[in-house]
Amino acid sequence: MTLYGKTALITGASRGLGEAIALACAAEGCSVAVNYVEEAGHDNAAEAEAVVTALQATGVDALALPADVTDQQQVDDMVAAAIAHFGHLDILINNAGIFRDKTIKNLDKSDWDLVLAVNLTGAYNAMHAVINHMRERETGRIISISSVIGQSGNIGQANYAASKAGIIGLTKSVAREVARRNITVNAVAPGFIDAGMTKTLDDEVVQAVLPQIPMARLGRAEDIAAAVVFLASDSAAYITGQVLAVNGGLYM
Ligand code: NAP
């Protein structure tokens, strides 16, 4: 068990890749705080509690913590609650993300602001909230989910691509700042994964992407979770400021 006795906070972990990452961490002995966002008309709390139950069934400690990652006070309170519950926090995984795809001529300021707020400012808020705790303990792992789109760009995804490229700059800068404190900061850049938000894409879009993937298949949520677990483990102790692409060769 590579994460035995560790504790992790995963944003947006009630479904999709976040859920898969939570289960993979628990399988390695890691206790997990499952963040979700309370949304009108959607029982996200029930989804998060179902993930918590599945995690607890593996023998680890787990709890659900509501917070909108765009709200700095809510994120500060969530991090404080996770530390109070577990006693310490070893791993932060910035996974929460959204997309609002439109070409630039139709991309309203509100769609720009919202995607940047969740995908990039959300990661800043969580990093800022955990960093003093990790600095004091002189240990920590911060892993943020970027995207192949942040590396290559894509038509209709200027806001999403900018947010995911921003994650890479944020990661490299903070990695330099805290390296001496034994805190590593890395990003994982998934390609097209057969889970989460990709499930909402039209089949035509998926069929157009497939020929561009050298491995000729979409990725699995477990492919991403395995990369995150590796970066969180002691095996990755000397890896920082890196972007680990998990994309079947889509972008090299
Ligand atoms: P997903 O199923 O849509 O899950 C997104 C998660 O983000 C949900 O748990 C959602 O929480 C959470 N979230 C959204 N807004 C939030 C907010 N304001 N505060 C807190 N949480 C919020 O998507 P996914 O595919 O699993 O995506 C996970 C991450 O992987 C994202 O960062 C995404 O950009 C990245 N990614 C995915 C793919 C892919 O192919 N799937 C590829 C590259 C990168 P609720 O459930 O509570 O609404």
Side-chain angles (χ1 to χ4, degrees), residues 3 33-35 39 50 103 131 178 197 246:
L3 303 180
V34 173
N35 161 249
E39 248 181 305
T103 53
I131 208 68
V178 297
M197 55 177 60
V246 185

Side-chain angles (χ1 to χ4, degrees), residues 127 144 166-176 185-187 241-242:
M127 282 191 196
S144 301
I167 285 283
I168 294 172
L170 175 66
T171 294
K172 292 183 178 183
S173 300
V174 179
R176 288 181 185 276
V185 188
N186 291 290
Q242 302 304 308

Side-chain angles (χ1 to χ4, degrees), residues 12-18 35-37 39 44 47 67-70 95-98 118-119 145-147 160 164 190-193 195-198:
S14 62
R15 58 190 164 97
L17 299 188
N35 161 249
Y36 67 99
V37 62
E39 248 181 305
N44 291 355
E47 287 182 357
D68 181 337
V69 295
T70 67
N95 167 79
I98 60 168
V118 175
N119 297 6
I145 308 301
S146 177
S147 169
Y160 185 80
K164 294 300 184 177
F192 282 78
I193 309 304
M197 55 177 60
T198 305

